[in-house]
Amino acid sequence: MKTITKFLGAACVVGLGLASTLASTTALAQEKIKIGVSIPAATHGWAGGLNYHAEQAEKRLEATYPNLDVIVVTANGAGEQANDLEDLVSVQNIDALVVLPFESDPLTVPVQQVKEAGKFVTVVDRGLSLPGIEDVYVAGNNPELGRVSGEYIKDRLDGKGKIVILRGIPTVIDEERVEGFMTAIEGSDIEVLDMKHANWNRDDGYEVMQDFLSRFPEIDAVWAQDDDIALGVIEAVKQADRTDELFIVGGAGMKDIIKRVMDGDELTPIDVLYPPSMIATAMDITAMKFVSNAAVEGRYILGATVVTQENAENFYFPDSPF
């Protein structure tokens, strides 16, 4: 009997140990992977679209992968965003970070500290000041946006005509777009009457276009580098009653412009994408790191898709603020 009792006692100990191990394994299996997403607040149109697509991607990813916990935080400035990153690591204990820096220079060290803490890092749109920090980089193609816009205007005008250009904010992004555009029309008889910064802003676009319209009696086409600018241009052209003499090419993928293209508006025949939905692309790629065995590290440069009446429905998000 003693032998049997000892055997049963040992079996119980083993059973309890196995149960404890299984419980521990189950608990580990149930622990969620946390992905922090840090983006600028919706301070202007494109950023509003960015926030919308981040929220939509958060819902979709968590519904598709129950083991993912996506935490989206927004910031009104670089300092606030740096604090958010610290909180995501020290308090939320994230496994990965998706970040669109408010500004490149002030966020480089904070993002580097996240990486040094052993987190997987995906940077979106605005690159950091130091290369090689991030595991994944996702961005639109600024030179291509300019080139595609220039090619369309050149072809539409059969290589000759008078145009005006409304630039963005004086930044590398603006310079890359303009350089791509000018390269596209090089060698043609397209005359650039003038170009001015309109700061990716509707009101500035309106004022700059008013000036152009008052100074140039003949304008065949307008390149408004951004859709916020384009809305201001449209208003100025309508007020001047010159809608029949020119067309406008914008860029980014704002729903108001996409709807005009979809409806066949002759004033805005196309749009060129620089999609705020790139944040969803970045979130999807980051998620794949943890839910599959796919290699995801690298650079993802999105195409500058031309939106026409035929394909506009694919890029129309009526619920988005942008």
Side-chain angles (χ1 to χ4, degrees):
M1 290 295 293
K2 289 181 179 179
T3 303
I4 293 173
T5 302
K6 286 180 181 179
F7 175 79
L8 290 173
C12 288
V13 171
V14 171
L16 288 171
L18 180 59
S20 176
T21 301
L22 288 173
S24 176
T25 302
T26 302
L28 286 172
Q30 291 176 343
E31 286 184 4
K32 291 194 174 186
I33 300 295
K34 292 186 177 183
I35 300 177
V37 180
S38 173
I39 56 178
T43 53
H44 63 282
W46 194 86
L50 185 81
N51 279 253
Y52 168 81
H53 287 287
E55 291 165 2
Q56 294 299 305
E58 176 187 10
K59 295 175 184 175
R60 173 172 48 77
L61 286 170
E62 290 184 340
T64 305
Y65 305 108
N67 64 321
L68 288 186
D69 181 13
V70 180
I71 305 163
V72 178
V73 293
T74 62
N76 287 294
E80 184 179 339
Q81 189 173 32
N83 291 334
D84 286 344
L85 298 189
E86 184 178 353
D87 181 75
L88 285 170
V89 173
S90 62
V91 178
Q92 301 291 347
N93 193 27
I94 58 171
D95 299 281
L97 171 69
V98 178
V99 57
L100 195 156
F102 205 98
E103 297 176 50
S104 296
D105 289 343
L107 269 302
T108 293
V109 171
V111 174
Q112 186 177 32
Q113 290 171 342
V114 174
K115 181 61 183 173
E116 290 172 350
K119 314 304 180 182
F120 188 86
V121 173
T122 297
V123 173
V124 186
D125 187 39
R126 297 164 195 167
L128 301 173
S129 300
L130 294 175
I133 294 173
E134 68 274 6
D135 298 286
V136 170
Y137 178 66
V138 178
N141 194 328
N142 289 294
E144 187 70 358
L145 183 147
R147 187 195 68 78
V148 168
S149 302
E151 289 285 354
Y152 177 84
I153 289 175
K154 181 176 69 176
D155 293 344
R156 175 76 180 264
L157 295 178
D158 293 324
K160 57 183 182 296
K162 301 178 186 295
I163 70 170
V164 292
I165 296 173
L166 290 88
R167 304 181 61 161
I169 293 172
T171 58
V172 172
I173 290 175
D174 172 72
E175 291 170 3
E176 288 178 343
R177 292 179 179 183
V178 172
E179 184 177 345
F181 184 92
M182 298 305 291
T183 299
I185 65 172
E186 188 175 352
S188 71
D189 290 324
I190 302 290
E191 179 186 357
V192 178
L193 298 171
D194 198 359
M195 65 170 75
K196 284 188 175 181
H197 291 284
N199 304 312
W200 298 324
N201 180 275
R202 185 180 311 190
D203 292 339
D204 290 349
Y206 175 78
E207 291 179 7
V208 171
M209 193 61 202
Q210 272 194 321
D211 173 63
F212 287 162
L213 290 166
S214 67
R215 291 194 289 123
F216 304 119
E218 182 182 349
I219 300 174
D220 298 303
V222 180
W223 181 40
Q225 192 197 92
D226 171 85
D227 286 338
D228 273 310
I229 296 174
L231 289 180
V233 171
I234 291 168
E235 185 61 30
V237 170
K238 284 183 175 180
Q239 284 191 12
D241 196 23
R242 293 176 65 173
T243 57
D244 294 335
E245 71 180 66
L246 55 81
F247 64 91
I248 302 160
V249 173
M254 177 189 283
K255 68 177 182 181
D256 294 348
I257 301 297
I258 299 296
K259 185 66 166 61
R260 288 175 178 272
V261 174
M262 191 161 56
D263 292 342
D265 180 11
E266 294 183 1
L267 191 59
T268 54
I270 69 161
D271 197 38
V272 183
L273 288 187
Y274 193 84
S277 60
M278 68 175 67
I279 190 66
T281 303
M283 292 166 68
D284 285 347
I285 292 170
T286 304
M288 291 301 292
K289 172 70 177 178
F290 299 95
V291 301
S292 77
N293 61 351
V296 300
E297 289 81 354
R299 293 174 61 85
Y300 298 81
I301 306 301
L302 307 179
T305 303
V306 178
V307 179
T308 65
Q309 189 175 12
E310 289 69 32
N311 68 2
E313 187 175 359
N314 299 329
F315 308 103
Y316 182 55
F317 301 97
D319 295 331
S320 171
F322 180 80

